[in-house]
Amino acid sequence: MTEATGPTETLTAVAQALERIGRLDPGLGAFIEVWPAEALAREPAARHLPLRGLPFAVKGPAGIRSYAARRLIAAGGVPVGATSVPGPGTYWQTWGQGPHGRTVNPWRADRTPGGSSAGSAVAVAAGMVELATGSDGAGSVRVPAAWCGVFGLKTTNGLLPSPDRTGLASAGVLARSAAGAEPFLRHVLEGYEEPAAPPLPLPAVYSEDLGYADVDPEVAAVVRAAVDRLVASGTVRLVEHGCELLDPAGAWQAVRGGAPGTPEAVAVRRANDDRLAALFAAVPLLLTPATPNRPHGHEGPGKLYSTALTWAFNLSGHPAASLPAGFTGDGCPVGLQLVAARGTDARLLATARAVEGALPPVRR
């Protein structure tokens, strides 16, 4: 209760979010801007719209102008602030920087939350908001989702306006759960229709390394235990089908650098597209670890690419999500990546809801 409330009066959803931000963010550094006056002024009218004044955060200083944010506002969402992204001079030292300093992982302050949707993942993980926008050009939604123990979805490339002229980046969302992300797809995607729950068990292929990545054995063990649990529960049926891709690092860097037509980049993309097409013709779901490593310290990851298992799907355009899979022995969250055929975003979200229902809930 605050001075503005009476003995029996409760805080509105927006006021609760603002209270939590004011209390928690000085220690976490998730927000670069908070808009209390604007958010409280928007809320009364927003309550009469479909989202009923749902408070949400936007990624970075330009997030409020994104297509997704505009659609959420039109549906009755209330933006409460902009979240941190990498700042000048913070390439490896931290994935977020705000007025309170660097953005820290809410599970372990000595570790990075991942990026570049760093503050969005932290704000959701800490319960400051239920939903936050993100964008994903190499894993920028899925990596922080994995490392902060929340749900993160990268939509099919080209389905929504891209914030990146190369087309690698796709709009995404972070939420406490797959179910919590549903309002994003419902109100941001044109013509969204909620799919029926998928029939179980779901045929799926599991790949620990996609044929090229060097995965931390403990991370691999946590993800494999989660997959085994899905099989034991009757949620997933593993299919013997290889998923050996070519390492996309050079091709991604070529596209990002404005040279997508180099022979190597073209060859890698064509080969991986063909292999993924064959896989999704056989099964509807690919499972992998979301990252090959656990959250690293703020000093940087060394020579490791945290994006080794995610950026292949920015090149191919497939929708992909990260779900909490468990924790390493030192208390770091680990993500399970789900990948599906292009354009099946709504079906992937329904699949993620079935999968998370068979996994233990994340402790908060």
Side-chain angles (χ1 to χ4, degrees), residues 200-202 229-237:
L200 303 180
L202 294 156
R229 185 183 181 102
L230 295 175
V231 172
S233 68
T235 305
V236 161
R237 174 176 60 84

Side-chain angles (χ1 to χ4, degrees), residues 5-357:
T5 63
T8 60
E9 192 174 356
T10 59
L11 293 174
T12 65
V14 169
Q16 289 180 44
L18 292 169
E19 186 277 328
R20 288 193 293 267
I21 293 168
R23 175 164 44 88
L24 299 174
D25 198 52
L28 294 172
F31 283 86
I32 54 174
E33 296 177 8
V34 182
W35 309 312
E38 296 93 327
L40 291 169
R42 284 181 189 269
E43 189 176 23
R47 288 192 200 128
H48 301 287
L49 296 170
L51 287 177
R52 300 184 180 277
L54 173 75
F56 72 96
V58 299
K59 176 184 176 178
I64 192 64
R65 299 192 296 275
S66 69
Y67 176 82
R70 296 198 308 270
R71 295 280 294 183
L72 291 171
I73 292 169
V78 176
V80 295
T83 58
S84 65
V85 292
T90 63
Y91 183 63
W92 288 123
Q93 284 64 44
T94 178
W95 279 109
Q97 191 80 17
H100 302 299
R102 68 188 182 191
T103 309
V104 303
N105 191 301
W107 296 96
R108 286 194 51 165
D110 64 330
R111 306 292 176 94
T112 175
S116 62
S117 303
S120 287
V122 174
V124 170
M128 290 185 272
V129 291
E130 295 297 317
L131 185 148
T133 66
S135 59
D136 189 315
S140 293
V141 164
R142 289 161 288 161
V143 172
W147 286 357
C148 291
V150 299
F151 175 80
L153 170 70
K154 175 197 88 71
T155 56
T156 298
N157 290 53
L159 190 65
L160 295 168
S162 174
D164 175 15
R165 66 178 180 273
T166 68
L168 289 170
S170 187
V173 60
L174 297 108
R176 298 289 285 274
S177 66
E182 193 273 340
F184 177 90
L185 284 191
R186 177 179 293 277
H187 296 289
V188 172
L189 291 186
E190 290 282 358
Y192 171 83
E193 293 184 7
E194 186 172 0
L200 303 180
L202 294 156
V205 168
Y206 173 65
S207 176
E208 178 182 299
D209 58 9
L210 292 177
Y212 60 82
D214 183 13
V215 181
D216 178 329
E218 191 174 359
V219 169
V222 170
V223 174
R224 182 69 214 208
V227 172
D228 289 345
R229 185 183 181 102
L230 295 175
V231 172
S233 68
T235 305
V236 161
R237 174 176 60 84
L238 292 184
V239 175
E240 292 296 327
H241 190 295
C243 186
E244 302 289 318
L245 302 183
L246 301 180
D247 189 341
W252 187 92
Q253 290 162 355
V255 174
R256 182 65 176 170
T262 62
E264 180 187 1
V266 171
V268 168
R269 296 184 77 177
R270 181 176 295 132
N272 285 351
D273 282 352
D274 289 346
R275 296 175 190 188
L276 289 169
L279 186 149
F280 289 119
V283 296
L285 185 64
L286 170 64
L287 305 173
T288 80
T291 67
N293 53 335
R294 66 192 78 196
H296 55 74
H298 293 278
E299 73 284 354
K303 296 181 179 180
L304 292 172
Y305 280 111
S306 304
T307 56
L309 294 166
T310 52
W311 54 6
F313 307 109
N314 296 91
L315 281 171
S316 69
H318 292 81
S322 178
L323 278 167
F327 291 80
T328 55
D330 57 355
C332 294
V334 174
L336 167 66
Q337 180 171 228
L338 284 65
V339 188
R342 296 183 191 92
T344 62
D345 300 61
R347 194 183 315 155
L348 175 60
L349 186 61
T351 297
R353 293 182 68 169
V355 167
E356 73 180 2

